[in-house]
Amino acid sequence: MDLVALEEIRQVKYRYLRCVDLKLWDDLAEVFTADATVDYGTMVYGQPLKLTGRDEIVAFLRAKLGPGVITVHSAGQPEISIDGDQAIGTWSFEDTVIATEHRVVIKGAAFYQDRYRRGEDGRWRIAHTGYVRTYEAMLSLDDLPSFRLIAKLGADVADAAVR
Amino acid sequence: MDLVALEEIRQVKYRYLRCVDLKLWDDLAEVFTADATVDYGTMVYGQPLKLTGRDEIVAFLRAKLGPGVITVHSAGQPEISIDGDQAIGTWSFEDTVIATEHRVVIKGAAFYQDRYRRGEDGRWRIAHTGYVRTYEAMLSLDDLPSFRLIAKLGADVADAAVR
Amino acid sequence: MDLVALEEIRQVKYRYLRCVDLKLWDDLAEVFTADATVDYGTMVYGQPLKLTGRDEIVAFLRAKLGPGVITVHSAGQPEISIDGDQAIGTWSFEDTVIATEHRVVIKGAAFYQDRYRRGEDGRWRIAHTGYVRTYEAMLSLDDLPSFRLIAKLGADVADAAVR
C-alpha cells in the first residue's frame, strides 16, 4: 500500500474542494489534468452536466459558483485504489449552496467516483470527477423568515441587512 | 504506529457507511465479523437498539433503511488504537434521514465507539459498532412547504412531483 | 513525508473537536500548548474572538459551550505541512449549535488555519487555531414548530417535553 501516494491524492482532492468554496479559481486549475473531465450529474442546471478540459471546468465553476453564491463542498470517507500512475477513488460528499439573492438553499449528498493520474512532474491530479446523488433538495428562504446570515466569505455581516 | 492497518480499518468503516447509503446490502455483510454486535442507541424506533450477528444486522438495516428512505451517514475524525489483531476506534458522525413518504426529516450527530478485528484472512472487520448521541431531532416537512426533492438515489427527479 | 506525524497531528485535532462536543473540558486542555492562541473570528458574541493561553481558551469554551448547548464541530480535508517540530494545517469545518433554551440554531462553515508544535515530550499540540468563515447563519426554532429533540448528550428524550 503506497501510503504517500494516498496522502498526495487526498490532498489534491482537499485542495479542489477548498479552492471551490474559497473561490480561488487560479489555484483550482492546478488540481486538474489538462484533459480532465467532470460529470456533476446534477439537475439544478436542467440536465446532467459534462465538461471536458481543465479550462472549461474552471470557467464553468468560476461563472456558476462565483462570489455571490455561498458554497460548502465537504468530502470524506476516501476509498482509493492505486495502480501505478493511475488511481480511482470513491468519496462521500455533502454540499450546501446558499444563493441569498434568489432566497434559495440547496442541500444534497452524493458519492464521488474519481480518477487520478500522476504526471511527469510526479504530482497527482484529478483526471475525472463525477458523482452519484443520494439526494438533492431545494428550499426557499421564504419558509424561514427568521433566517439571518451573520457571516459570509470576505465579510462578517452581523447586524447588517444582508440576508 | 501501523499506518497500513489504520488505513485498512478506515476503509472498512467507509465501505460500511457507503453500502448503507447506497443500499448495497450484499456488499455490506462483508464489513462485519460473523459475531458482530451493534448498539445504535437511538430512540427513533422506541428503544435503544441492540443487534447480534452479521445476518441480524444486515437484515435490520435492509428492512429499515431500504429504497424508500434517503439516508446520509457521514463519519470522520477517526481516533483508532491498534493492539495486535484487535483495534478500537472513535469517530464523529452526522446522519440525515429523509422519509418523504412520512414527510419527516431526522438529523443527528453522535460519536461512534467501534471495535475491529483482523481475521485469519488478514482483513479487518467491524466487530462492534455503537454510538453516543450528541443530539437527534425530528422535523416535519409540513414546516417547509417549498421543500422540493430534485434528485434521489437511482433517479433525478427535477420538476417531477416527487416531494 | 512524515506520515506518522501527520497522523498524530490529525488525532490531536480530532481529540479537540470531540472534547468540545462531549464537554470533556479536562481532557481538552491537553490538546493545546500552554501558550496557545485562538482567533475564532465569529460575530455571534459580538466581535471577533481572540484568546491567549490554554487556561483562557478552556475556560471560555467551558463557559460558552457548556451542558445546556448542543454543539457539533466537524472538521475534515486536512492539508498539513510539517517543518521539523512545527506544522501548519488547513481544515474544512462545519458547525451546528442548538441552544434550545433560546430556541435558536446556528449553522456555519469555515476553513481552519492552525499551527501545531511538537513538545519535548514528543507530543504534537495545537499552538494556534483560527478560521475564515464561508458563512454563518442563525435561525429561530419558531420557524419550525414541528421541531422536536429526540436525543441529546447524556439523555434520550423521546416523547419528553424537551424541545
Side-chain angles (χ1 to χ4, degrees):
Chain A
M1 192 183 288
D2 185 344
L3 294 167
V4 170
L6 284 180
E7 177 64 20
E8 290 171 343
I9 292 169
R10 285 193 295 256
Q11 293 221 6
V12 78
K13 181 75 174 182
Y14 298 151
R15 204 174 312 136
Y16 158 74
L17 296 159
R18 179 171 52 82
C19 288
V20 168
D21 289 342
L22 293 178
K23 322 297 181 192
L24 304 171
W25 308 117
D26 294 336
D27 292 349
L28 180 62
E30 272 303 296
V31 308
F32 291 107
T33 62
D35 61 350
T37 52
V38 303
D39 180 358
Y40 289 127
T42 177
M43 300 302 289
V44 170
Y45 305 107
Q47 55 187 330
L49 187 72
K50 292 176 193 289
L51 300 170
T52 300
R54 173 198 286 160
D55 295 345
E56 189 173 302
I57 297 167
V58 175
F60 171 83
L61 291 169
R62 189 193 291 260
K64 290 290 181 187
L65 303 180
V69 181
I70 295 164
T71 60
V72 182
H73 291 80
S74 298
Q77 303 174 203
E79 299 170 71
I80 296 168
S81 300
I82 299 170
D83 182 9
D85 292 325
Q86 313 266 348
I88 55 173
T90 294
W91 300 74
S92 68
F93 171 58
E94 291 192 76
D95 56 339
T96 303
V97 175
I98 305 178
T100 50
E101 197 182 336
H102 300 98
R103 296 195 54 71
V104 73
V105 177
I106 301 167
K107 287 273 304 177
F111 283 90
Y112 273 111
Q113 294 171 327
D114 292 351
R115 291 196 305 272
Y116 309 96
R117 205 168 63 224
R118 182 156 44 191
E120 294 184 2
D121 61 357
R123 290 178 59 183
W124 287 95
R125 291 185 180 82
I126 298 169
H128 175 78
T129 187
Y131 47 64
V132 174
R133 279 276 174 204
T134 313
Y135 85 98
E136 191 172 15
M138 292 184 85
L139 183 72
S140 168
L141 288 176
D142 293 343
D143 287 350
L144 303 170
S146 71
F147 180 91
R148 194 163 64 93
L149 210 56
I150 49 179
K152 66 176 178 177
L153 190 61
D156 287 316
V157 293
D159 303 318
V162 177
R163 306 186 60 166
Chain B
M1 193 184 286
D2 184 343
L3 294 167
V4 170
L6 284 180
E7 176 66 19
E8 290 171 341
I9 292 169
R10 284 193 296 256
Q11 294 221 6
V12 78
K13 181 75 173 180
Y14 298 151
R15 204 174 313 136
Y16 158 74
L17 296 159
R18 179 172 51 84
C19 288
V20 168
D21 289 343
L22 293 179
K23 321 299 179 191
L24 303 172
W25 308 118
D26 294 336
D27 293 349
L28 180 64
E30 272 305 294
V31 309
F32 292 107
T33 62
D35 62 351
T37 53
V38 305
D39 181 358
Y40 288 128
T42 177
M43 301 301 290
V44 171
Y45 306 107
Q47 55 188 330
L49 186 72
K50 292 175 193 291
L51 300 171
T52 301
R54 173 198 285 160
D55 295 345
E56 189 173 302
I57 296 166
V58 175
F60 172 83
L61 292 170
R62 187 193 292 261
K64 290 290 180 187
L65 303 179
V69 181
I70 295 164
T71 60
V72 182
H73 291 80
S74 297
Q77 303 173 202
E79 298 171 70
I80 297 168
S81 300
I82 299 171
D83 182 10
D85 292 325
Q86 314 266 348
I88 55 173
T90 295
W91 299 76
S92 68
F93 171 58
E94 291 192 76
D95 57 339
T96 304
V97 175
I98 306 177
T100 51
E101 197 182 336
H102 300 97
R103 297 195 54 71
V104 73
V105 177
I106 301 167
K107 287 273 302 177
F111 284 89
Y112 273 110
Q113 295 171 328
D114 291 352
R115 291 195 307 272
Y116 309 96
R117 204 168 65 223
R118 180 156 43 191
E120 293 184 2
D121 61 356
R123 291 178 59 183
W124 288 94
R125 290 184 180 83
I126 298 169
H128 175 78
T129 188
Y131 48 64
V132 173
R133 278 276 174 204
T134 312
Y135 85 98
E136 190 171 16
M138 291 184 85
L139 185 72
S140 168
L141 288 175
D142 292 344
D143 287 351
L144 303 170
S146 72
F147 180 91
R148 194 163 64 93
L149 209 56
I150 49 179
K152 66 176 179 176
L153 190 60
D156 287 315
V157 293
D159 303 318
V162 177
R163 309 185 61 166
Chain C
M1 191 183 288
D2 185 343
L3 294 167
V4 170
L6 284 180
E7 176 65 18
E8 290 171 341
I9 292 169
R10 285 192 296 256
Q11 293 221 4
V12 79
K13 181 75 174 181
Y14 298 150
R15 203 173 314 136
Y16 158 74
L17 295 159
R18 179 171 52 83
C19 288
V20 169
D21 289 342
L22 293 179
K23 321 299 180 190
L24 303 172
W25 308 117
D26 294 336
D27 293 349
L28 180 63
E30 272 303 296
V31 308
F32 292 107
T33 62
D35 61 352
T37 52
V38 304
D39 181 358
Y40 288 126
T42 177
M43 300 300 290
V44 170
Y45 306 107
Q47 55 187 330
L49 188 72
K50 292 176 193 291
L51 300 170
T52 301
R54 172 197 288 159
D55 295 345
E56 189 174 303
I57 296 167
V58 175
F60 172 83
L61 292 169
R62 188 192 292 261
K64 290 290 179 186
L65 303 180
V69 181
I70 295 163
T71 62
V72 182
H73 291 80
S74 298
Q77 303 173 206
E79 298 170 71
I80 296 168
S81 300
I82 299 170
D83 182 11
D85 292 325
Q86 313 266 348
I88 55 172
T90 294
W91 300 74
S92 68
F93 172 57
E94 291 192 77
D95 56 338
T96 303
V97 175
I98 305 177
T100 50
E101 197 181 336
H102 300 98
R103 296 195 54 70
V104 72
V105 177
I106 302 168
K107 286 274 303 178
F111 283 89
Y112 273 110
Q113 294 171 327
D114 291 351
R115 292 195 306 273
Y116 309 96
R117 204 167 66 223
R118 181 155 44 190
E120 294 184 1
D121 60 356
R123 291 178 59 183
W124 287 95
R125 290 184 181 82
I126 299 169
H128 176 78
T129 187
Y131 47 63
V132 174
R133 279 275 175 205
T134 313
Y135 85 98
E136 191 172 14
M138 291 183 85
L139 184 72
S140 167
L141 288 175
D142 293 344
D143 287 352
L144 304 170
S146 71
F147 180 91
R148 194 163 64 94
L149 209 57
I150 49 179
K152 66 176 179 176
L153 190 59
D156 288 314
V157 293
D159 303 318
V162 178
R163 305 186 64 165

